[in-house]
Amino acid sequence: MSVIDVDAMPDCDNSQIRRSRRGDEKKALKLTQILSYPDENPDAVTLTLGDIELLDPGQFLNDSLIDFWCRFITQRMAKSEKEHRHRMHTFSSFLFAKLVQKGLSQEERFTDALKWSQTQGVDIFSKDYVFIPICEKLHWTLAVICFAGADVTKLAGTDRQGPCILHLNF
């Protein structure tokens, strides 16, 4: 590694270099990981200091924050209702991005998203509730697919008829 004496360089603005170094340090600090949830899980969501700064007023939430919150809520629901744990699944915010990617036909996008979801070992048709976070134009919403594998006929013991999709706008 070579060392350059900045003061010996006549055309160099030292304040600009110091600002640049501070900027690099700030960027590195923002990437500092502070939390992984759930613990010791290969699919854990990791939050950084930069993610936490996005919780300040006037900032936009990012996919890591949304994925963390969805994972936190579903894990908490699964803990309180252990017998229902296998009945729900939350996808990452990247699933919707797969569904709307440009340059592919509707069928190709659906096939691509289905393959991607299957690599996660999830059979959405066996779940009662599937949560899909959606971001469009910096606005977050949540799609909840209820009873995806149900027939269109009435579900036994209920007044519900087949699957439905709820789209929650925050």
Side-chain angles (χ1 to χ4, degrees), residues 43-89:
D43 296 324
V45 176
T46 301
L47 295 181
T48 65
L49 284 175
D51 295 328
I52 300 304
E53 287 178 3
L54 297 176
L55 294 172
D56 289 340
Q59 300 296 312
F60 294 103
L61 300 177
N62 68 4
D63 55 330
S64 295
L65 290 168
I66 296 296
D67 286 343
F68 166 80
W69 184 246
C70 289
R71 182 73 54 90
F72 179 78
I73 293 297
T74 53
Q75 289 286 324
R76 189 157 237 192
M77 287 170 45
K79 283 181 183 175
S80 67
E81 301 179 30
K82 290 182 180 173
E83 68 274 4
H84 301 302
R85 180 180 314 191
H86 66 282
R87 296 174 53 196
M88 63 182 94
H89 180 75

Side-chain angles (χ1 to χ4, degrees), residues 32-44:
T32 302
Q33 295 181 357
I34 60 166
L35 173 72
S36 284
Y37 184 83
D39 289 335
E40 300 175 21
N41 185 326
D43 296 324

Side-chain angles (χ1 to χ4, degrees), residues 106-156:
Q106 185 175 356
E107 185 177 321
E108 289 170 321
R109 288 188 304 233
F110 177 77
T111 302
D112 192 28
L114 190 59
K115 283 181 193 173
W116 181 78
S117 69
Q118 288 172 344
T119 62
Q120 295 185 355
V122 177
D123 174 13
I124 63 169
F125 299 106
S126 69
K127 305 295 181 189
D128 288 348
Y129 304 100
V130 178
F131 302 96
I132 303 171
I134 298 169
C135 184
E136 283 190 300
K137 299 178 184 172
L138 301 175
H139 181 76
W140 286 97
T141 61
L142 180 68
V144 182
I145 302 171
C146 305
F147 307 104
D151 289 333
V152 178
T153 58
K154 276 192 173 185
L155 296 168

